Amino acid sequence: MPYQELTFAQAAPVLTWANHDLGYAETAMAKNVASLPFVYKHVALMPDVHLGKGALVGSVIATQDAIIPAAVGVDIGCGMGAMQLPFKADRLEGKLKKIRQDIEAAIPVGFNQNKDVAKEVYNWQGWQDFKALHPGVQHLDTKAMAQLGSLGGGNHFIEVCLDTENNVWLMLHSGSRNIGNMLAQNHIKTARHLSKLAEIKLPDPDLAHFVAHTPEFDRYWHDLQWAQDYARMNREVMMGRFKAIVEQHLGGGKVTKPLLSVNCHHNYAEQETHYGESVYVTRKGAVRAQTNDYGIIPGSMGAKSYIVKGKGNAASYCSCSHGAGRAMSRTKAKKAFSLDDLIAQTEGVECRKDWGVLDEIPGAYKSIETVMANQADLVEVVATLKQVVCVKG
């Protein structure tokens, strides 16, 4: 679907791939961001767009000489990892429950962390730079090390999937855990304080920002890059453990070479070149989709997911959606659905089917098929996956 252009007085245009599916609150939030004087050319909204804090989840914001920490969000570097292994579906028969149990035993979920620090975690080069991070997180060094290689909660997950050719895939979704959250909160607080001191009038306090070439900007940018690296490493550590578990069950423990591996952020910011100019690109719930970039677009638990390759669409700042996108809040989902609904909607998936994950029921999300149809000009589908095991945070 081609995008729709929304125009506002005294604001940059907003290009949306959401198939006209924007309510009053979403439109107002998009206008607030687009009205900032440092926004470059336009704001791009992906087809899974929904309400966030300050900026819409599913938005791509290019800026010149400024960055908005709340637009990046508190789970800095949150993203996806996926890996195709050289196994077929028949190897999984009768093993799904034990695989799930082994995953849950090896990878901490929710607020849990690793009891012992693995060698690969201890040797991560990022620790060399920890003392240079914001003073407000210096007491979290031990916790950050223990949480590297843990899933977290909310909509984070680990899945064994099958594609349409019955190939086995591993997929997971996680971010920068508590350390990323606390770094973000400290910098957001600073940005708000600076805005008040300078008496800057903002349409939303969560759009407080840092100006390039200032000490506050430089400190945030440094910590942002560190947290993004931490999040990527977090996924690598978990994927290594995950891969070893599946190899044990399907191949007797023999180490295999992945046929394809993808590790991509969808809550982050980078400096990129667009329309011939260097800009800061914030993807809040969006994946980079430059020409031939591999990306991962998951559906909800019980729905399809997609491995994609970018088409380099300039209007989207070479981006695509990061998932199906919520259709209702967690609170509303728990009121609208029952455990019987959850059991029915996750039929055929080895996963938890209890009150604790009811807010993640597929019915609380938009149709992933519709989302994919709306971004055919942004990505091409490489593989279509369906989970058979799902471990939730």
Side-chain angles (χ1 to χ4, degrees):
M1 158 194 124
Y3 59 79
Q4 177 191 11
E5 181 173 338
L6 308 179
T7 56
F8 306 101
Q10 299 180 326
V14 174
L15 310 186
T16 173
W17 278 259
N19 195 23
H20 315 288
D21 186 25
L22 287 180
Y24 174 82
E26 289 87 352
T27 301
M29 186 170 281
K31 181 181 177 182
N32 286 345
V33 173
S35 69
L36 298 172
F38 49 81
V39 166
Y40 177 71
K41 286 192 179 293
H42 61 264
V43 174
L45 304 182
M46 301 297 97
D48 60 337
V49 69
H50 56 280
L51 288 174
K53 190 171 184 179
L56 293 165
V57 177
S59 60
V60 184
I61 308 162
T63 54
Q64 291 182 305
D65 299 323
I67 194 163
I68 311 162
V72 177
V74 295
D75 194 359
I76 298 172
C78 184
M80 298 287 304
M83 183 181 290
Q84 182 187 353
L85 295 184
F87 299 118
K88 291 291 187 177
D90 59 344
R91 296 280 190 100
L92 290 166
E93 189 173 347
K95 301 173 182 176
L96 298 184
K97 185 174 182 178
K98 189 61 171 66
I99 289 174
R100 176 192 160 199
Q101 291 173 338
D102 287 352
I103 293 169
E104 292 172 339
I107 301 176
V109 302
F111 293 105
N112 296 326
Q113 59 191 39
N114 293 287
K115 295 179 181 179
D116 299 307
V117 177
K119 183 177 180 180
E120 61 183 330
V121 170
Y122 184 80
N123 290 335
W124 179 53
Q125 62 182 9
W127 303 127
Q128 300 170 15
D129 202 28
F130 193 91
K131 291 298 183 182
L133 298 178
H134 193 286
V137 304
Q138 290 303 311
H139 65 294
L140 296 174
D141 53 348
T142 300
K143 185 172 186 176
M145 188 172 287
Q147 285 193 330
L148 188 56
S150 64
L151 187 65
N155 61 354
H156 293 165
F157 63 80
I158 300 170
E159 293 182 341
V160 179
C161 303
L162 298 175
D163 65 17
T164 53
E165 304 298 320
N166 281 324
N167 297 307
V168 174
W169 287 76
L170 313 182
M171 189 164 67
L172 57 82
H173 173 208
S174 190
S176 53
R177 304 296 282 112
N178 181 255
I179 187 65
N181 184 354
M182 297 312 298
L183 280 170
Q185 291 196 37
N186 276 288
H187 285 291
I188 289 169
K189 183 178 179 180
T190 300
R192 284 189 168 205
H193 178 67
L194 291 176
S195 292
K196 287 182 179 179
L197 285 180
E199 297 183 345
I200 298 173
K201 293 183 179 180
L202 295 169
D204 185 332
D206 284 316
L207 296 179
H209 51 272
F210 294 124
V211 177
H213 312 301
T214 62
E216 294 83 6
F217 180 101
D218 292 342
R219 283 193 287 267
Y220 174 66
W221 192 257
H222 169 272
D223 290 2
L224 178 73
Q225 300 306 310
W226 185 92
Q228 289 172 183
D229 289 344
Y230 178 98
R232 186 180 298 277
M233 183 62 179
N234 187 40
R235 292 191 291 272
E236 288 180 3
V237 171
M238 286 189 289
M239 186 62 81
R241 296 176 187 168
F242 185 16
K243 178 174 179 282
I245 290 168
V246 174
E247 286 171 336
Q248 186 63 46
H249 284 279
L250 306 191
K254 181 181 178 181
V255 177
T256 61
K257 183 178 180 180
L259 302 180
L260 179 65
S261 294
V262 186
N263 191 337
C264 58
H265 297 318
H266 56 223
N267 282 350
Y268 74 112
E270 290 289 357
Q271 196 166 13
E272 299 177 359
T273 299
H274 292 276
Y275 298 99
E277 297 187 72
S278 178
V279 293
Y280 298 101
V281 178
T282 296
R283 293 187 176 91
K284 185 182 181 74
V287 178
R288 196 183 75 176
Q290 294 179 358
T291 303
N292 294 327
D293 269 350
Y294 281 100
I296 307 165
I297 305 176
S300 58
M301 58 188 293
K304 295 176 182 178
S305 296
Y306 297 86
I307 308 298
V308 299
K309 189 181 287 187
K311 291 186 175 182
N313 187 306
S316 71
Y317 298 112
C318 299
S319 308
C320 67
S321 80
H322 81 311
R326 293 197 73 92
M328 61 178 69
S329 69
R330 296 183 183 279
T331 300
K332 187 175 180 180
K334 286 188 173 181
K335 292 179 179 178
F337 296 104
S338 67
L339 290 183
D340 287 340
D341 294 326
L342 177 64
I343 292 169
Q345 292 185 28
T346 58
E347 183 179 2
V349 182
E350 174 59 43
C351 64
R352 288 174 56 192
K353 300 175 191 285
D354 56 54
W355 176 257
V357 296
L358 183 58
D359 55 359
E360 284 294 302
I361 188 171
Y365 285 82
K366 297 178 182 180
S367 163
I368 187 64
E369 289 83 4
T370 300
V371 167
M372 294 305 298
N374 289 349
Q375 59 184 334
D377 58 335
L378 305 183
V379 293
E380 63 174 296
V381 175
V382 174
T384 301
L385 313 183
K386 180 68 173 64
Q387 69 276 88
V388 290
V389 175
C390 178
V391 173
K392 296 295 296 185

